[in-house]
Amino acid sequence: MSAFYRKSKFIRRSRIIWGSYGAWRPRLVFWAGAVAIGLISVGFAKLADMAQHLFGAVTTAGTWGFLLPLVITPIGFVLSAWLAITLFPNSQGSGIPQAIAARHLHQEDDRVRLLSLRVAFGKILLTVLGLMSGASIGREGPTVQVGAAIMLAAARFGGMAQARGLILAGSAAGIAAAFNTPLAGIVFAIEEMSRTYEARANGLVLTAVILAGLAALGLSGSYNYFGTAVTAPTLLADWGLVLVCGIGGGALGAGFSGMALYCGLRIRRWAQPQPLRRMLFLAGACGLAVAMIGIVSSGNTFGTGYDQARGAVEGHALPHLFFAEKLLASFLSMISGIPGGIFAPSLAVGAGFGSTVGALMGTSIALAAILGMAGYFAGVVQAPMTAFVIILEMTGDHQAVIPIMAVSMLGYVTSRMLSPEPLYHGLSRVFIAAAIRARRAQ
C-alpha cells in the first residue's frame, strides 16, 4: 500500500507541476501572443521609418518638391480618415483610449469592436499612411492598441478569462517593445492604463513585457531610443530649468490636452448631421494646415519629430519656435480623426520647448531638452511616474535622475490644476458611451 500511495502521490504531483494540455494551452498561447507583440512592434517601427523617409525624399526632390505637401498631405489625411470610418472603425486617434475603454466594458462583443485583429491591422496600415503623408503623429500609442488587440485575441483562442489583465499586459508589452523601455511599459500599465495597482495582473504584465522585449531585442538589439545622454545640473541656472520646464511644460501640456478634449466634443456635435462628409472635410482642412506649417518650418514638423528631439538631446539647439509649430501640427493631426499617436510628437514638442528655454537661459541644451520632454509629457498624459521612467530609459541619463523626477512632478501638478481631466481617460469615455449606445440599439 505504501508503494502504491507513493506512486499515486508522485503522479498527482507531476500533474500539478506539468499539468495537462488544457492547462498549458492558455500559457503557450499567451506567450506566443507576447512574442508576436514584440515582433510586430519592430516591423511596425521599420514601416513607420520607411514611410517618413519616403515622404521626406519625395518632398525634397527637385526645385518645387517642398510644395508637394500642399497636395500629398490633405489627400493622405482624407484617405486615411475615410478608410478609418468605413473599413476600420475605432482605429482613429492614438489607440490608448480604446484600450482603456475596453478594460471598462464588460461584454466581450463590445471589447472586440475596439480591440480586434482587423482594427489592429487597420491601425498599422493607416498610421503608416499618415506618416507617408507628413502627419505629425507617432506609432507608440497605436502599438498599445495593437498589443492589446493581439492579447485579447490570444485570450479568446486560448480560453483565458482574464480579459482586463490581458489587455493591460498587451498594452504594457506594446509600450515596452515600441520604445525598448521595459520598466516604462510596466509603469505605464499601472499608472495610466489602470490607475490602480492590480496584484492579480502583475504576473501577466511582467511576463508579457519580458517576452515582447526579448523578441524585439532579438531583431533590433539593445539600444536607447534617444541614444545615451550624460548631463546633469551644475550651475544655479541649470536648476532654474527644473522650475521653468516643469511649470511651463506642464502648462503647455494642459493646454494641449484640454483643447483636445474640448475640440473633440465640439467636432462630434458639429459632424452629427453628416458625419462622413464633414469628418472628411475636417481631415482635408487639417491636412492642408499641417502641410503649410511644415513648409513654414522647413519640414521640421512633419512626421514623429524623432530626429529633431534626438538632435536636441545631443546638444543641438532647435529653432526657437519649433515647439509651437510642432505642437500646432500635432494638435491638428490629432483632431483630424486619422489614426496616429501623440507620444513621439509630444516628446519632440517637449524637447523643442526645453531647447528654447535652455538657449534663452544660457544653459545646457541637452539637459534643457531632456527636462522639457519630461515636463511637457507629464503635462499631456498626467502620468508623472511614466514620464520620469520613460525619459530616463530613453536617454540613459542617470546623472539627472532627481531633476527629471522633479520636473515630471511639477509638470503633472501644473497640468492637473489647469486641466483636471486626464487626456486618455477623457477620450476613452467617448468609446465607452458609443459602445453603450450600440448595445442599447440592438
Side-chain angles (χ1 to χ4, degrees), residues 52-355:
Q52 284 198 106
H53 292 154
L54 178 61
F55 177 82
V58 170
T59 56
T60 55
T63 306
W64 301 102
F66 73 98
L67 293 177
L68 285 177
L70 294 174
V71 177
I72 296 174
T73 306
I75 291 176
F77 272 53
V78 171
L79 178 60
S80 181
W82 180 76
L83 291 172
I85 295 170
T86 57
L87 295 183
F88 304 108
N90 297 315
S91 66
Q92 296 92 333
S94 165
I96 295 175
Q98 289 92 317
I100 294 173
R103 296 192 71 249
H104 288 87
L105 297 172
H106 302 290
Q107 300 294 328
E108 183 179 356
D109 291 345
D110 295 336
R111 289 194 291 262
V112 170
R113 288 192 187 97
L114 298 177
L115 300 177
S116 68
L117 293 180
R118 177 189 179 93
V119 171
F121 173 77
K123 194 74 171 187
I124 294 173
L125 176 66
L126 298 184
T127 301
V128 171
L129 175 60
L131 289 171
M132 200 180 297
S133 305
S136 180
I137 55 176
R139 58 174 170 80
E140 293 77 20
T143 305
V144 169
Q145 188 177 12
V146 171
I150 291 172
M151 204 54 79
L152 194 61
R156 296 196 303 273
F157 182 75
M160 293 176 279
Q162 294 176 288
R164 284 170 55 87
L166 290 165
I167 292 172
L168 202 64
S171 302
I175 284 291
F179 282 119
N180 189 34
T181 52
L183 290 178
I186 295 170
V187 174
F188 171 80
I190 295 171
E191 185 182 35
E192 182 61 24
M193 289 295 299
S194 66
R195 290 280 165 174
T196 56
Y197 178 72
E198 299 183 18
R200 290 182 299 174
N202 61 354
L204 293 175
V205 170
L206 186 59
T207 303
V209 167
I210 291 171
L211 293 175
L214 287 174
L217 285 174
L219 292 179
S220 302
S222 180
Y223 65 96
N224 288 338
Y225 191 79
F226 287 127
T228 302
V230 183
T231 182
T234 55
L235 304 174
L236 184 62
D238 292 339
W239 287 101
L241 286 173
V242 173
L243 287 175
V244 177
C245 290
I247 297 173
L252 277 177
F256 179 91
S257 60
M259 285 300 295
L261 291 173
Y262 173 77
C263 291
L265 177 62
R266 302 287 295 182
I267 288 169
R268 287 190 297 275
R269 291 176 179 173
W270 169 76
Q272 278 307 309
Q274 298 172 311
L276 178 59
R277 182 177 178 180
R278 292 197 174 192
M279 288 307 297
L280 294 183
F281 172 80
L282 175 67
C286 289
L288 181 61
V290 169
M292 294 172 66
I293 295 169
I295 292 172
V296 170
S297 67
S298 301
N300 284 330
T301 59
F302 291 128
T304 63
Y306 169 80
D307 291 335
Q308 289 78 11
R310 177 157 188 164
V313 171
E314 291 174 349
H316 306 295
L318 293 170
H320 286 348
L321 293 179
F322 166 77
F323 76 93
E325 295 165 339
K326 186 63 176 175
L327 189 152
L328 183 56
S330 301
F331 179 78
L332 291 169
S333 297
M334 182 180 183
I335 66 170
S336 69
I338 67 172
I342 63 171
F343 259 62
S346 293
L347 296 175
V349 172
F353 174 71
S355 172

